[in-house]
Amino acid sequence: IHYTTTPRYHTIIYGLAGCMSTVLHDAIMNPAEVVKQRMQMYNSPYKSVLQCLGQVYRTEGMRAFYRSYTTQLTMNIPFQSIHFMVYEVTQKITNKEHTYNPAAHMVSGAMAGAVAAAITTPLDVCKTLLNTQQGVKATGLVQAIKTVYRLGGPAGYFRGIQARIMFQMPGTAICWSTYEFFKYFLTKSRFDEMRLVTPSTVLAETDSSLYLNDLISSPSAEKVSLKPRELPAMSGAGLYGSISFNTMHTADTNFTSRRRDSSILDINHT
């Protein structure tokens, strides 16, 4: 498998992600969609969810709950693919820095939902026909398309488009805003917990003459030959602080003395 980070493939990847999630989602939620739409019908004979489930199962069998599954996929796969792609394209306009921006996420989500809903309205009309018909009149997408055309003509495929857009825009705006918020919150929290303190460097800012005189007069001084250097710090970082041990050497080549076992303990709080 060849992995790539080329931006030109991102839109395709977002579309494929929408396709895969839709296949699994609709397999589980299609029966619930059938019950919802039957209870929303004008003069619906069903008084409760359980009554609707039982009566549909007894009179039409299990197939009634999945009669529109292929139509649902035919509609939702394009819907979610367009939804994901339009959202990412809109983000490039409203949120060029790709940072957490609630206003940009809401606008992008609403626009993505509106565009996807408008384009897939004809398929939604056919799906609704299959879910709400009493008895078995249209058994598939092709028959549903013919029935809608026979009853309403070309305009019949776009009946309810305004209501569908108004329904989808708030939902997708809230969905993306919530997703982006928790992604930002969880990523930030995880980063704060695992943040490591950069190894620090301790610089001696004392009076050089006093320090050197102390070195020369000390009986524990040892004659050595040193080049100007500084050893790297060894840091152990945690959530509330870190302790860095730095061993410092004089950077002045005119003196060749150092004190045994001299070290500086630096405590950094983050």
Side-chain angles (χ1 to χ4, degrees):
I1 299 175
H2 178 66
Y3 296 94
T4 180
T5 58
T6 305
R8 65 179 178 176
Y9 295 117
H10 289 180
T11 303
I12 298 175
I13 293 172
Y14 300 140
L16 290 176
C19 292
M20 296 303 297
S21 62
T22 300
V23 171
L24 298 176
H25 173 271
D26 288 354
I28 298 173
M29 296 303 298
N30 202 81
E33 184 73 10
V34 171
V35 173
K36 176 182 76 75
Q37 291 188 340
R38 293 209 177 197
M39 294 189 68
Q40 289 176 339
M41 289 189 307
Y42 180 71
N43 289 332
S44 174
Y46 309 108
K47 303 300 181 182
S48 68
V49 173
L50 293 178
Q51 180 195 3
C52 182
L53 282 170
Q55 187 168 339
V56 171
Y57 180 76
R58 287 192 301 270
T59 58
E60 302 178 45
M62 190 66 183
R63 289 190 59 184
F65 295 108
Y66 287 94
R67 186 182 299 144
S68 64
Y69 179 60
T70 55
T71 306
Q72 185 98 334
L73 288 180
T74 306
M75 179 194 71
N76 283 345
I77 286 178
F79 177 88
Q80 294 297 347
S81 300
I82 295 169
H83 179 197
F84 275 59
M85 290 188 289
V86 172
Y87 177 79
E88 293 299 331
V89 171
T90 310
Q91 279 284 283
K92 295 177 182 178
I93 300 173
T94 61
N95 188 16
K96 295 180 180 180
E97 296 80 12
H98 293 284
T99 58
Y100 175 62
N101 187 334
H105 299 323
M106 289 190 69
V107 171
S108 300
M111 291 299 297
V115 173
I119 294 175
T120 58
T121 295
L123 292 170
D124 185 62
V125 172
C126 296
K127 181 206 71 173
T128 303
L129 173 67
L130 291 171
N131 283 342
T132 59
Q133 61 182 342
Q134 298 297 314
V136 181
K137 298 177 182 178
T139 57
L141 177 59
V142 175
Q143 291 185 12
I145 292 173
K146 293 179 180 179
T147 303
V148 171
Y149 184 80
R150 178 167 48 85
L151 295 176
Y157 295 111
F158 292 94
R159 292 187 64 181
I161 185 171
Q162 296 90 346
R164 178 168 164 78
I165 291 175
M166 291 176 63
F167 169 78
Q168 290 292 344
M169 286 183 69
T172 51
I174 294 170
C175 174
W176 281 110
S177 299
T178 305
Y179 167 78
E180 294 288 356
F181 168 76
F182 279 103
K183 184 176 75 170
Y184 168 77
F185 177 76
L186 295 175
T187 303
K188 184 176 182 298
S189 300
R190 185 64 177 167
F191 176 78
D192 289 341
E193 290 179 4
M194 299 185 65
R195 184 178 52 170
L196 297 179
V197 177
T198 304
S200 59
T201 301
V202 180
L203 299 177
E205 296 181 352
T206 58
D207 187 4
S208 58
S209 61
L210 295 176
Y211 179 68
L212 294 174
N213 289 334
D214 181 59
L215 281 176
I216 295 172
S217 61
S218 174
S220 61
E222 176 187 4
K223 297 290 184 178
V224 294
S225 177
L226 292 176
K227 295 181 179 180
R229 70 189 182 110
E230 177 182 308
L231 293 181
M234 296 180 294
S235 298
L239 181 60
Y240 300 104
S242 65
I243 300 179
S244 300
F245 296 92
N246 299 277
T247 303
M248 303 296 297
H249 297 277
T250 177
D252 195 337
T253 56
N254 294 327
F255 296 90
T256 58
S257 298
R258 70 168 181 174
R259 189 184 301 274
R260 287 194 183 97
D261 302 326
S262 62
S263 64
I264 298 175
L265 176 62
D266 174 34
I267 301 179
N268 295 317
H269 292 282
T270 59

